[in-house]
Amino acid sequence: MPIATVNPANGETLRTFEALDGAGIEQRLAAADSAFRRYRTTGFAERARLLNQAAVLLDEDQRDIARTMTIEMGKPIGAARAEAAKCAKAMRWYAAHAEELLADQYPSAADVRDSGASRAYVHYRPLGAVLAVMPWNFPLWQVVRFAAPALMAGNVGLLKHASNVPQTAMYLEGLFRRAGFPAGCFQSLLVGSGAVEGILRDGRVAAATLTGSEPAGRSVASIAGDEVKHTVLELGGSDPYLVMPSADVARAARTAVTARVQNNGQSCIAAKRFIVHTEVYDEFAERFTVGMNDLTVGDPMEESTDVGPLASEQGRADLEELVDDAVRQGASALCGGARPEGLAPGLERGWFYAPTVLTGITPAMRIHHEETFGPVASLYRVDGLDEAVALANDSPFGLSSNVWTRDQDEARRCVRDLEAGGVFFNGMTASHPALPFGGVKRSGYGRELAGQGIRAFCNVTTVWYGPEPVGATS
Ligand code: NAP
């Protein structure tokens, strides 16, 4: 894949970049290694000062970086600004909380005595240079949710960003430098995916985190496994959205539209399978279809646009294949099911797809098991909660889940039984710095954000003093 900015709204190539050669990669690995040796000894107050400064700069840059993201991957401009604001918030959150999240932990006095120690505790130390292989769909947020905790823990970051967002990648490197982080603490490596193996195998890289597709995750995890290096994987999702009879159906349907089409439908935590109780199915289907039909598809630079283009021609072709396969086997489209008509002049060559609701889906169809990365919803009718949960779990993925109910017993059963890294009631899945984020099954392993996210790339060090504590002779 060439490293280039190609505007998905019209297919125009705006800028291309040379990939780093071997010498360039070597120079950056050496810089990361030498930066880590010094940076690891800085205190939380200094790291927090730098990260807070990065947040200030990001807020100042919000309009410009939002435009860059929209031009590179097509998200609506308002959503791009919101993404930048969310990143600044996460930076401030980790700057404020890292010290407390990584404070030494003390076992009970009885357990300390039982271990034969006069004193024992757990201490968190950084691991070193962490390689982050990142996707284009939230080109700032995916990086910041790794970088903010990693830098606060004393690690340094090496970003291999998706090849279609090179300007956002370079912006991030510049942002951390301008904030005052020492050279080498956060670097963007403009390389293709073929260069990842060599970088990951390098002894100066301690660990890796990948957000992206299952094949990419499998490849990176197997190389890291071979090198015995720790990994976190945030992969695809096909999140269920259950609607039960006690729900506020009008709100559930309104939220469902946003949950499905956020980021032009290209979000790992977008709700993709809408599983609705038969008692409220007709009302939900009607409201949801009207809502999807009413969306404005068009130029993502326009403030009034709800749904922009897909990020790549290939992404649209993959989505079309899934829909066509389903329709060929008997599914029907309540709306959409094709490329949109009547786009404004200049957008004809963009990679747009109409918001779509499909019904009549069976397990024989690819769409039943695969992730739809675009504005296409699968709508199912069920007779009760047991059937809804069974259908929700009939997926290789387990990222998050959404449930609309006012019934406490139903909620309790969903928390117990839904196979996912999150259960969101009467709303839609969203990430927040204070709440862990990640999945089970083919959606990956490990967690980002919150305490789990910052401890993921730490050396959890046991410190144990024998009966004669250090300092006893003085
Ligand atoms: P992708 O093709 O897997 O790319 C993600 C990153 O991995 C890019 O930097 C890509 O580089 C690199 N890559 C691809 N193949 C690789 C390989 N064999 N070895 C090493 N690196 C490789 O995914 P995408 O299309 O950008 O993103 C969409 C996927 O990400 C969806 O499945 C989505 O659900 C998932 N996602 C998950 C989360 C989450 O938090 N769970 C969040 C966002 C997205 P190139 O660009 O150079 O190919």
Side-chain angles (χ1 to χ4, degrees), residues 272-284:
K272 291 166 189 151
R273 297 176 296 137
F274 297 81
I275 300 170
V276 184
H277 194 283
T278 190
E279 282 178 28
V280 287
Y281 180 92
D282 290 339
E283 182 187 351
F284 179 88

Side-chain angles (χ1 to χ4, degrees), residues 134 136-137 142 145 160 163 211-213 216 234-236 268 371:
M134 291 289 141
W136 44 263
N137 60 342
Q142 306 292 1
R145 81 178 182 188
K160 182 272 178 270
S163 292
T211 301
S213 62
E234 298 287 1
L235 309 180
C268 53
E371 181 182 26

Side-chain angles (χ1 to χ4, degrees), residues 1 133-138 142 145 160-164 191-194 196 210-217 219-220 233-237 267-268 272 371 373 399 437 443 448:
M1 201 175 180
V133 182
M134 291 289 141
W136 44 263
N137 60 342
F138 292 93
Q142 306 292 1
R145 81 178 182 188
K160 182 272 178 270
H161 217 327
S163 292
N164 58 336
V191 293
S193 57
V196 168
L210 179 137
T211 301
S213 62
E214 198 187 320
S219 166
V220 163
L233 295 186
E234 298 287 1
L235 309 180
S267 168
C268 53
K272 291 166 189 151
E371 181 182 26
F373 223 50
L399 195 50
F437 183 95
S443 291
E448 292 192 287

Side-chain angles (χ1 to χ4, degrees), residues 448-467:
E448 292 192 287
L449 299 177
Q452 286 82 354
I454 194 164
R455 290 185 203 115
F457 292 105
C458 285
N459 171 359
V460 183
T461 309
T462 298
V463 183
W464 186 95
Y465 291 96

